[in-house]
Amino acid sequence: MLFPLVRDIRSLSPENQDVTVRGWVRTKREMKNLIFVEVNDGSSLSGIQCVFDREKDGGGNDGAAGNTAETLAALGTGAAVEIRGRLVPSPAAGQDAEVAVSGITVPGSAPAESYPLQKKHHSLEFLRERAHLRARTNTFGAVARVRSGLAFAVHRFFRERGFQYMHTPIITSNDAEGAGSMFRVTTLDPLASAKPESGYGGDFFGRAAYLTVSGQLEAETYACALSRVYTFGPAFRAENSNTVRHLAEFWMIEPEMAFASLEDDMDLAEDFLKSLFTAALQDCAEDIAFFDKHFSGGDGRGNGAGKGIAETLEAAATSKFVRMTYTEAVRELEKSAGSFEYRPCWGRDLQSEHEKFLTEKIAGGPVIVTSYPREIKAFYMKMNDDEKTVRAMDVLVPRLGEIIGGSQREDDLQKLSRRMEELGMKKDSYWWYLDLRRYGSVPHSGFGLGFERLIQYVTGMINIRDVIPYPRAAGQAEF
Ligand code: 4AD
Ligand code: MG
C-alpha cells in the first residue's frame, strides 16, 4: 500500500488522527519549548507544519529513550524526515491543521555547512547551477507539477477527440524540417583516423543518422491510416541560438489529421491551447496562484505584461484568437517600422520583436498568422493558388512569440516533387513520404506545440531553461 502524501494528509479533517509525515525539512524555528518544523514532500506547493513540544516529550522519541537531542540536532533544512504524530486543528493563520509530534526519525540529514539551499530566496541563475536540487524549492516544485499536470491534459484532450497516441522514432535518417540543424548519431569515434572512402558504410546504421527534429513526417503516414494521431516526444535541434526561448532538446506535441484543411488545423490549435489554459487554472490551481503572485508575466525587473498570470490565462481561454495573414501582419508592422530593430519586410521571417508587437500591441492576446511566403517555410507545406504563399499557420502569444507552428501538407505528388527538387533535397530518401501522395492521398494538416514554450506561457517563467528539469543548450549538458 502507498502511504498518504502530505497533500492527502492536509485534506483530512484535523480530528486527532494519527499520521506519519514523510518529506524534507524546509524550515525549522524554535520558540521556548516548541520547535516548528515545516515539512514538504513535493506533492503540493504547501507543506505541513509539525510542532514538537519539548515539555511533552517523555525524554525520547515515541517513548524510546535517549535520542531526542541527537534527532533534533539533525533536523536542519534539507533533511529527510519521518514524523509521527496527531493531526490537530492549528491555531496559526493560513493553515487548518498541523501535526503534534510524538516521534521523529531522520533517515538522511543535510549538513547546514554544505547544503546549498539554506536561504529562502535563491536566484534562478544560482538554482540552474544546482539543477539536481532545485525541484526542492517552491518555484521548481511548482514548475514540475504544472509540467506533469499539462502533459496529462494533453493526452486527455486528444483521447476525447479520437486521436491515437503514436511514438515516432528518435533516431532518423531524414531532416523533417529541411533546416539542416541536426545532431549526428554515430558509433564511429571522431578521434580515430577518418576513412572517407568507406562513407557511412562502417557506421552502425550503414547510413547517416540523426536525432529527430520532428516526428511530423512519420505522423503523417499514420494519420493517413488512422485518421487522427498525435505524438508527444523529444525533438533535437542544433541551432546555436542562445535565447531564452530555444533549447537543443525540447518536447513537442504534434497532432496530424487526415481530411483536414488549414482552417480545421487552426480550429484544433485554438481549442487545444484553450483547453490547456483551462486545465492549468483548474488542475494546477495552487501552483498557478503561486506563479500569479510571484512571476506575473514580467521579467522580474518590473517590465511585464501587467496583467497577472491567472487573468491572462482566463482571458486567453475564453476569447477568440485574432487571425490575420502574413501579408496583413507585415502591413500592420510597417506602420510602426520605426520602433523595431529589424525593419519588417514582406518575404522576411517575422522577428521575435515583431511577434511580440502583433500579440501585445495589436491583438492584446494570441494571434494566428497564416499564409507565409513559401521561401521562409518548410518544403512540405501546401502551396496557395498565388504560388507565392503556403498554407502555414503560426500561433503567437504575448511575451513569447511563436508557440505553435503548423500547416496543411502538400498532398499533390507533382507539386511536392517539384518543390523538393527546387530545394535540392535528396528525393530518394523520402520515397516513403512521397508514396503517401501516390496511394490514397488526401488533404491533411497538423501542427507542433513546443511543450516548454507552453509551460513558459502558463507559469510566466522568463527563461526556457527553468521549465525543463535538465536543460540542454549549446555548451550545456551537465547532469
Ligand atoms: O515551427 P516548428 O519548427 O514546426 C515543426 O517542427 C513542425 N514539424 C510541426 C508540425 O507541423 N508537426 O516547431 C514547432 C514548435 C515551435 O512553434 C516552438 O514552440 C517549438 O516547436 N520549438 C522549440 N522549442 C524550444 N526550443 C527550440 N529550439 C524549438 N524549436 C521549435
Ligand atoms: Mg516554426
Side-chain angles (χ1 to χ4, degrees), residues 177 237 377 394 402 404-406:
E177 290 301 300
R237 295 191 187 176
K377 287 292 181 188
D394 278 5
E402 181 187 340
I404 281 181

Side-chain angles (χ1 to χ4, degrees), residues 6 8-17 19 38 47-51 86-100:
V6 166
D8 306 321
I9 295 172
R10 285 173 52 84
S11 71
L12 300 172
S13 62
E15 288 158 356
N16 292 322
Q17 309 195 45
V19 294
E38 180 76 17
I48 193 159
Q49 174 162 280
C50 303
V51 187
R86 267 167 184 269
L87 194 66
V88 295
S90 174
Q95 57 189 18
D96 293 338
E98 62 184 31
V99 176

Side-chain angles (χ1 to χ4, degrees), residues 33-47:
N33 280 322
L34 297 179
I35 301 175
F36 299 92
V37 186
E38 180 76 17
V39 179
N40 189 296
D41 68 352
S43 59
S44 64
L45 184 74
S46 307

Side-chain angles (χ1 to χ4, degrees), residues 160-345:
E160 285 170 356
R161 289 162 180 78
F163 285 74
Q164 308 291 336
Y165 176 35
M166 76 172 287
H167 300 114
T168 48
I170 288 170
I171 299 174
T172 172
S173 57
N174 62 259
D175 181 355
E177 290 301 300
S181 49
M182 302 178 81
F183 289 100
R184 284 284 309 278
V185 175
T186 177
T187 49
L188 298 178
D189 180 356
L191 301 180
S193 63
K195 292 200 201 79
E197 65 281 4
S198 64
Y200 295 107
D203 205 348
F204 189 88
F205 297 105
R207 63 197 302 168
Y210 308 92
L211 293 178
T212 186
V213 294
S214 155
Q216 179 195 320
L217 305 194
E218 291 89 353
E220 282 185 51
T221 66
Y222 266 54
C224 293
L226 302 177
S227 295
R228 292 178 196 161
V229 297
Y230 71 103
T231 70
F232 188 169
F236 307 86
R237 295 191 187 176
E239 314 164 283
N240 205 345
S241 38
N242 194 18
T243 77
V244 295
R245 306 178 311 133
H246 289 88
L247 289 167
E249 177 181 284
F250 62 99
W251 287 69
M252 187 159 46
I253 298 131
E254 296 183 276
E256 190 72 32
M257 302 180 280
F259 301 96
S261 66
L262 186 67
E263 283 65 38
D264 299 324
D265 205 33
M266 288 192 276
D267 291 345
L268 182 74
E270 183 167 341
D271 280 355
F272 182 43
L273 284 176
K274 286 177 169 171
S275 94
L276 293 175
F277 299 158
T278 304
L281 289 166
Q282 288 175 358
D283 305 347
C284 312
E286 189 189 22
D287 291 318
I288 295 299
F290 169 82
F291 289 117
D292 188 65
K293 189 162 165 212
H294 298 284
F295 293 90
S296 263
D299 62 0
R301 297 177 187 88
N303 308 310
K307 267 193 258 166
I309 298 279
E311 198 185 331
T312 303
L313 289 177
E314 187 76 49
T318 48
S319 39
K320 186 108 189 75
F321 291 6
V322 170
R323 297 182 186 191
M324 60 173 84
T325 64
Y326 168 89
T327 304
E328 288 164 350
V330 169
R331 218 174 281 143
E332 280 297 334
L333 293 167
E334 278 170 343
K335 289 184 201 157
S336 309
S339 48
F340 303 117
E341 188 181 339
Y342 296 92
R343 199 170 58 83
C345 168

